[in-house]
Amino acid sequence: NLDYNLPEVDALTYGDVFGTLSSEWLHGAIAKNLKADVELALTSAQTGFPGYEPFCFDDPVRSFGSEAQSVFNGTLNDKGISKFHTSVLKSSASPGMLTANFRTRVFEPGGGFSIDHFNIPFHPYNRYVGVKLPEGDKARGMLLTDTDHITDIVMVNEKGMPVPFGKAAIEIYKIKWRWWWEKRK
């Protein structure tokens, strides 16, 4: 049995990812010269920041899908360590924050392997725009068109700190909806 780890990371931001994979046998001896691999898959996560809980930072129109990609496939050195580097591209298709899901494996000489999974937040953007809509009409669950509404907008960086400057394009749509039998000809 093996014990190995990657360095603790609070969150990733788009760009280069550097990692160190280390492994040792459960009794503490160095697990040297063993094959290992690391895969990364990105999945959607809800974007939120402390202090901005009522704000929505995700784009409800977008969805995100990703396949696992190999970020390391090699052999640990004689100290049971291997460093790796990969680039994670900025994705304009992401609705907001993502989760980086890592799967690591270290292979024993007989073919068996130890496996570990861990997740960390991944920021595909360096800025996020949050919108806090007014409550509107509680009985009907909508914003009435004959009433003025104030909408709060905030821009924060990937650490949730306010950004003092920046531009955001804001579009508001009025959506009309009717049951199919109410449609006029």
Side-chain angles (χ1 to χ4, degrees):
N1 289 333
L2 298 165
D3 183 29
Y4 58 92
N5 58 55
L6 287 170
E8 290 186 28
V9 178
D10 292 334
L12 294 174
T13 303
Y14 67 88
D16 292 332
V17 176
F18 296 90
T20 302
L21 178 64
S22 65
S23 181
E24 57 185 38
W25 297 101
L26 287 179
H27 52 73
I30 295 172
K32 60 183 176 179
N33 304 320
L34 298 177
K35 290 184 181 181
D37 63 27
V38 179
E39 277 189 0
L40 167 64
L42 298 173
T43 55
S44 287
Q46 184 157 351
T47 308
F49 301 97
Y52 296 101
E53 287 79 5
F55 287 83
C56 176
F57 291 92
D58 293 310
D59 184 345
V61 177
R62 294 182 182 180
S63 62
F64 182 80
S66 169
E67 292 185 18
Q69 67 181 54
S70 175
V71 295
F72 173 76
N73 191 351
T75 305
L76 302 175
N77 65 17
D78 59 351
K79 294 181 182 175
I81 297 173
S82 188
K83 295 183 183 272
F84 64 89
H85 165 253
T86 190
S87 293
V88 180
L89 300 177
K90 182 178 177 181
S91 172
S92 61
S94 171
M97 205 165 113
L98 302 173
T99 299
N101 305 289
F102 288 91
R103 185 203 70 190
T104 60
R105 298 187 300 176
V106 176
F107 295 86
E108 299 175 11
F113 58 88
S114 293
I115 189 168
D116 188 26
H117 295 269
F118 69 95
N119 306 321
I120 56 176
F122 177 78
H123 294 283
Y125 308 110
N126 57 8
R127 293 183 184 172
Y128 295 89
V129 175
V131 176
K132 183 173 94 174
L133 295 175
E135 290 186 27
D137 184 62
K138 291 181 183 179
R140 292 176 269 186
M142 63 182 180
L143 296 176
L144 300 174
T145 58
D146 58 349
T147 305
D148 291 340
H149 300 283
I150 297 174
T151 302
D152 293 325
I153 299 173
V154 65
M155 184 179 292
V156 298
N157 65 18
E158 69 273 7
K159 294 178 181 171
M161 303 303 295
V163 176
F165 59 90
K167 292 182 180 182
I170 308 295
E171 295 180 12
I172 298 174
Y173 296 92
K174 178 181 176 182
I175 299 173
K176 290 186 178 184
W177 181 81
R178 297 175 188 239
W179 291 99
W180 62 270
W181 61 80
E182 294 178 325
K183 185 175 180 181
R184 295 182 186 159
K185 296 185 182 197

